[in-house]
mmCIF file of all heavy atoms in Angstrom:
data_model
loop_
_atom_site.group_PDB
_atom_site.id
_atom_site.type_symbol
_atom_site.label_atom_id
_atom_site.label_comp_id
_atom_site.label_asym_id
_atom_site.label_seq_id
_atom_site.Cartn_x
_atom_site.Cartn_y
_atom_site.Cartn_z
ATOM 1 N N ILE V 186 5.641 -20.704 -21.690
ATOM 2 C CA ILE V 186 6.728 -19.733 -21.540
ATOM 3 C C ILE V 186 7.871 -20.064 -22.493
ATOM 4 O O ILE V 186 8.486 -19.181 -23.091
ATOM 5 C CB ILE V 186 7.215 -19.683 -20.079
ATOM 6 C CG1 ILE V 186 6.097 -19.163 -19.177
ATOM 7 C CG2 ILE V 186 8.451 -18.817 -19.939
ATOM 8 C CD1 ILE V 186 5.569 -17.801 -19.551
ATOM 9 N N GLN V 187 8.147 -21.371 -22.645
ATOM 10 C CA GLN V 187 9.204 -21.751 -23.581
ATOM 11 C C GLN V 187 8.816 -21.346 -25.004
ATOM 12 O O GLN V 187 9.652 -20.909 -25.783
ATOM 13 C CB GLN V 187 9.472 -23.250 -23.487
ATOM 14 C CG GLN V 187 10.102 -23.615 -22.140
ATOM 15 C CD GLN V 187 10.918 -24.892 -22.194
ATOM 16 O OE1 GLN V 187 10.735 -25.711 -23.091
ATOM 17 N NE2 GLN V 187 11.814 -25.051 -21.231
ATOM 18 N N TRP V 188 7.544 -21.493 -25.301
ATOM 19 C CA TRP V 188 7.055 -21.039 -26.614
ATOM 20 C C TRP V 188 7.280 -19.526 -26.770
ATOM 21 O O TRP V 188 7.771 -19.059 -27.786
ATOM 22 C CB TRP V 188 5.562 -21.370 -26.732
ATOM 23 C CG TRP V 188 4.887 -20.762 -27.926
ATOM 24 C CD1 TRP V 188 4.934 -21.216 -29.213
ATOM 25 C CD2 TRP V 188 4.085 -19.576 -27.953
ATOM 26 N NE1 TRP V 188 4.202 -20.404 -30.049
ATOM 27 C CE2 TRP V 188 3.664 -19.382 -29.297
ATOM 28 C CE3 TRP V 188 3.657 -18.659 -26.991
ATOM 29 C CZ2 TRP V 188 2.849 -18.316 -29.699
ATOM 30 C CZ3 TRP V 188 2.843 -17.609 -27.383
ATOM 31 C CH2 TRP V 188 2.450 -17.437 -28.718
ATOM 32 N N GLN V 189 6.963 -18.783 -25.691
ATOM 33 C CA GLN V 189 7.153 -17.331 -25.737
ATOM 34 C C GLN V 189 8.623 -16.982 -26.002
ATOM 35 O O GLN V 189 8.932 -16.138 -26.839
ATOM 36 C CB GLN V 189 6.706 -16.703 -24.403
ATOM 37 C CG GLN V 189 6.995 -15.208 -24.329
ATOM 38 C CD GLN V 189 6.871 -14.638 -22.920
ATOM 39 O OE1 GLN V 189 6.578 -15.366 -21.969
ATOM 40 N NE2 GLN V 189 7.098 -13.361 -22.786
ATOM 41 N N PHE V 190 9.522 -17.678 -25.304
ATOM 42 C CA PHE V 190 10.944 -17.363 -25.473
ATOM 43 C C PHE V 190 11.445 -17.770 -26.848
ATOM 44 O O PHE V 190 12.337 -17.132 -27.410
ATOM 45 C CB PHE V 190 11.782 -17.973 -24.338
ATOM 46 C CG PHE V 190 11.838 -17.055 -23.148
ATOM 47 C CD1 PHE V 190 10.752 -16.931 -22.301
ATOM 48 C CD2 PHE V 190 12.952 -16.264 -22.917
ATOM 49 C CE1 PHE V 190 10.776 -16.047 -21.242
ATOM 50 C CE2 PHE V 190 12.991 -15.371 -21.861
ATOM 51 C CZ PHE V 190 11.895 -15.261 -21.016
ATOM 52 N N GLY V 191 10.851 -18.814 -27.382
ATOM 53 C CA GLY V 191 11.178 -19.173 -28.751
ATOM 54 C C GLY V 191 10.840 -18.039 -29.717
ATOM 55 O O GLY V 191 11.611 -17.693 -30.620
ATOM 56 N N LYS V 192 9.692 -17.429 -29.475
ATOM 57 C CA LYS V 192 9.273 -16.310 -30.331
ATOM 58 C C LYS V 192 10.222 -15.116 -30.168
ATOM 59 O O LYS V 192 10.588 -14.456 -31.140
ATOM 60 C CB LYS V 192 7.852 -15.868 -29.966
ATOM 61 C CG LYS V 192 6.793 -16.893 -30.252
ATOM 62 C CD LYS V 192 6.576 -17.056 -31.754
ATOM 63 C CE LYS V 192 5.930 -18.404 -32.020
ATOM 64 N NZ LYS V 192 6.174 -18.914 -33.355
ATOM 65 N N LEU V 193 10.589 -14.842 -28.923
ATOM 66 C CA LEU V 193 11.487 -13.707 -28.674
ATOM 67 C C LEU V 193 12.821 -13.943 -29.354
ATOM 68 O O LEU V 193 13.392 -13.050 -29.984
ATOM 69 C CB LEU V 193 11.692 -13.506 -27.161
ATOM 70 C CG LEU V 193 10.473 -13.042 -26.357
ATOM 71 C CD1 LEU V 193 10.815 -12.965 -24.870
ATOM 72 C CD2 LEU V 193 9.975 -11.685 -26.835
ATOM 73 N N GLN V 194 13.302 -15.188 -29.206
ATOM 74 C CA GLN V 194 14.584 -15.549 -29.810
ATOM 75 C C GLN V 194 14.538 -15.396 -31.328
ATOM 76 O O GLN V 194 15.415 -14.800 -31.932
ATOM 77 C CB GLN V 194 14.909 -17.001 -29.415
ATOM 78 C CG GLN V 194 15.916 -17.700 -30.275
ATOM 79 C CD GLN V 194 17.343 -17.334 -29.879
ATOM 80 O OE1 GLN V 194 17.561 -16.380 -29.130
ATOM 81 N NE2 GLN V 194 18.312 -18.068 -30.379
ATOM 82 N N ALA V 195 13.439 -15.868 -31.909
ATOM 83 C CA ALA V 195 13.293 -15.789 -33.369
ATOM 84 C C ALA V 195 13.250 -14.329 -33.830
ATOM 85 O O ALA V 195 13.679 -14.004 -34.934
ATOM 86 C CB ALA V 195 12.019 -16.513 -33.795
ATOM 87 N N ALA V 196 12.751 -13.471 -32.963
ATOM 88 C CA ALA V 196 12.671 -12.056 -33.322
ATOM 89 C C ALA V 196 13.967 -11.318 -33.013
ATOM 90 O O ALA V 196 14.049 -10.101 -33.146
ATOM 91 C CB ALA V 196 11.503 -11.409 -32.581
ATOM 92 N N GLY V 197 14.973 -12.060 -32.559
ATOM 93 C CA GLY V 197 16.270 -11.459 -32.264
ATOM 94 C C GLY V 197 16.279 -10.632 -30.999
ATOM 95 O O GLY V 197 17.076 -9.706 -30.841
ATOM 96 N N LEU V 198 15.408 -10.982 -30.060
ATOM 97 C CA LEU V 198 15.297 -10.176 -28.843
ATOM 98 C C LEU V 198 15.950 -10.834 -27.631
ATOM 99 O O LEU V 198 15.856 -10.324 -26.521
ATOM 100 C CB LEU V 198 13.819 -9.883 -28.566
ATOM 101 C CG LEU V 198 13.128 -9.095 -29.698
ATOM 102 C CD1 LEU V 198 11.625 -9.012 -29.459
ATOM 103 C CD2 LEU V 198 13.723 -7.699 -29.826
ATOM 104 N N ILE V 199 16.598 -11.999 -27.864
ATOM 105 C CA ILE V 199 17.325 -12.653 -26.774
ATOM 106 C C ILE V 199 18.817 -12.510 -27.079
ATOM 107 O O ILE V 199 19.260 -12.824 -28.175
ATOM 108 C CB ILE V 199 16.955 -14.155 -26.692
ATOM 109 C CG1 ILE V 199 15.449 -14.336 -26.462
ATOM 110 C CG2 ILE V 199 17.765 -14.847 -25.611
ATOM 111 C CD1 ILE V 199 14.968 -13.977 -25.088
#
Side-chain angles (χ1 to χ4, degrees):
Chain V
I186 295 302
Q187 292 205 339
W188 170 79
Q189 175 194 1
F190 274 76
K192 294 289 159 204
L193 292 177
Q194 161 82 347
L198 299 172
I199 301 288

